[in-house]
Amino acid sequence: MPAQLIDGNALAHQIRQQVQGRTAALKARGVQPALHILLVGEDPASQVYTRHKVADSTETGLAATLERHPADLPEAALLARIAALNADPAVHGILVQLPLPAHMNAHKVIEAIAPAKDVDGFHVQSAGALMTGLPGFWPCTPHGCLKMLDAIGYDLRGKHAVVIGRSNIVGKPMALMLLQRDATVTICHSRTAHLKAQTLQADVIVAAVGKRNVLTADMVKPGAAVIDVGMNRNDAGKLCGDVDFDGVRQVAGWITPVPGGVGPMTRAMLLVNTLEAAERA
Ligand code: GUN
C-alpha cells in the first residue's frame, strides 16, 4: 500500500486559522502583532519568499512590513536599522532574509537581532534555548516538520530518527527537537559513509540536504515516516525535494510531498513565532 500523504498545505491552513483567532484576541487587547522583514539586494528567490511571508501575515491579521535595501547597503547601515527595530515596541518580530550580499557577515547581522524578536530562531540565544529546553524561538522549518509528525499522531518516544543534513537552521535543530521527544537520533550528512545502512534502521527520516534523490526506495524501511525538506528542480524544471517521491512512497508509511509539504509549514511557523513574540511582549 502506498504511503499516506502528510498534507502541508492543509495543516498550514489550520495553523493559520489558529493564528488568526489568537491575533484577533490580541488586537482586542490593543496589541497589533507586527513582523518586520529586511530584504537586502535583488535575489529572485528571496523576493518571492518575502512576498509570500507578507501575504501570509496580512491574511492572518498580522501586520507585516517589507523593508527593501539595495545590494550595496553598508553592513553598518543594516545593523543600525536592526538596532532601531529592536528598540521599537510596535515591532514584535524581525526577520533578515538570507542570503545577504557577500560583503556582509550574516552571523554578525543575525546576532544583532534582539532574541525576543528573533522569529526565525537563528540567533545563538535561540539555538541555546532549544539546546537547553529553555523558552525561546524555534527555527520554523524543523518546527514545522515536528508539527507534521504531531498531526499524524506519531509517537516519537523510543523511535529511531535519522536526519540527513547538518545545517544550523534545519538539521541540527531538527535533531534536538526529535531528541526532546525521546527519539533516538542519528545525524547524517553528505559525507556519511554507508548512508543506506543508517536510513534502513530509521522509523523517521528527515531529508534536508538540498540535493535530488538523496533518499531512494531501497534506503527506506517499510512503514517509515519520511519528511522531505528539500527544494530542488528536476531536469524538466519542476519543483522536487530530496526524496525520490514516486519510489519512496511505495515503501514508506507516511511521506510529505514537494511542493505542498514542509514549505507551507515553514511559513506557518513564522506566523506562530511572530504571534508568540507579540503575546510575550
Ligand atoms: N532564506 C531562505 N529561507 C529563509 C528563512 O527561513 N529565513 C530567512 N531569514 N531567510 C531565508
Side-chain angles (χ1 to χ4, degrees):
M1 196 172 69
Q4 290 185 54
L5 229 58
I6 311 178
D7 184 343
N9 280 324
L11 189 55
H13 179 73
Q14 277 178 27
I15 291 172
R16 284 197 301 274
Q17 283 185 322
Q18 289 161 11
V19 169
Q20 195 163 18
R22 282 165 64 188
T23 300
L26 262 189
K27 283 183 177 175
R29 293 190 356 230
V31 179
Q32 167 63 69
L35 171 67
H36 200 101
I37 301 174
L38 293 162
L39 173 60
V40 186
E42 307 286 330
D43 181 76
S46 290
Q47 296 193 42
V48 174
Y49 291 149
T50 51
R51 262 206 310 275
H52 282 151
K53 288 170 186 176
V54 171
D56 287 352
S57 300
T58 36
E59 183 199 312
T60 41
L62 303 168
T65 305
L66 175 58
E67 179 179 322
R68 305 181 59 145
H69 292 281
D72 62 356
L73 179 78
E75 184 184 85
L78 182 59
L79 294 173
R81 280 302 297 137
I82 292 171
L85 294 165
N86 283 343
D88 184 346
V91 172
H92 303 102
I94 302 170
L95 184 149
V96 177
Q97 186 67 25
L98 302 176
L100 285 167
H103 69 278
M104 290 195 188
N105 178 339
H107 285 294
K108 190 171 166 191
V109 170
I110 297 300
E111 295 317 307
I113 298 171
K117 300 188 179 189
D118 173 37
V119 288
D120 255 334
F122 291 174
H123 194 285
V124 164
Q125 189 167 316
S126 302
L130 170 59
M131 169 77 112
T132 53
L134 289 170
F137 292 113
W138 286 9
C140 301
T141 297
H143 199 183
C145 295
L146 196 66
K147 290 278 178 199
M148 294 177 103
L149 291 169
D150 287 343
I152 58 168
Y154 199 96
D155 184 356
L156 283 157
R157 285 177 296 178
K159 295 295 198 317
H160 185 185
V162 168
V163 178
I164 317 173
R166 55 177 158 180
S167 75
N168 290 334
I169 61 175
V170 184
K172 289 180 206 168
M174 183 82 258
L176 289 170
M177 289 174 200
L178 293 164
L179 261 180
Q180 224 178 68
R181 295 289 186 85
D182 293 335
T184 300
V185 184
T186 304
I187 309 183
C188 299
H189 47 81
S190 56
R191 295 192 185 183
T192 297
H194 312 300
L195 178 62
K196 177 176 168 178
Q198 300 291 337
T199 57
L200 276 173
Q201 311 270 329
D203 303 301
V204 175
I205 304 171
V206 180
V209 176
K211 210 173 112 207
R212 281 159 58 189
N213 297 329
V214 162
L215 192 74
T216 47
D218 58 309
M219 300 167 73
V220 177
K221 181 165 85 172
V226 175
I227 311 287
D228 191 350
V229 181
M231 277 271 251
N232 312 296
R233 299 255 169 211
N234 67 16
D235 293 333
K238 227 178 107 213
L239 212 57
C240 67
D242 288 357
V243 174
D244 170 26
F245 183 83
D246 291 333
V248 170
R249 77 178 304 189
Q250 302 304 327
V251 184
W254 293 271
I255 189 167
T256 66
V258 177
V262 173
M265 290 300 293
T266 296
R267 286 162 54 187
M269 297 320 293
L270 174 66
L271 305 178
V272 171
N273 278 353
T274 303
L275 172 68
E276 289 186 356
E279 285 175 343
R280 289 176 202 174

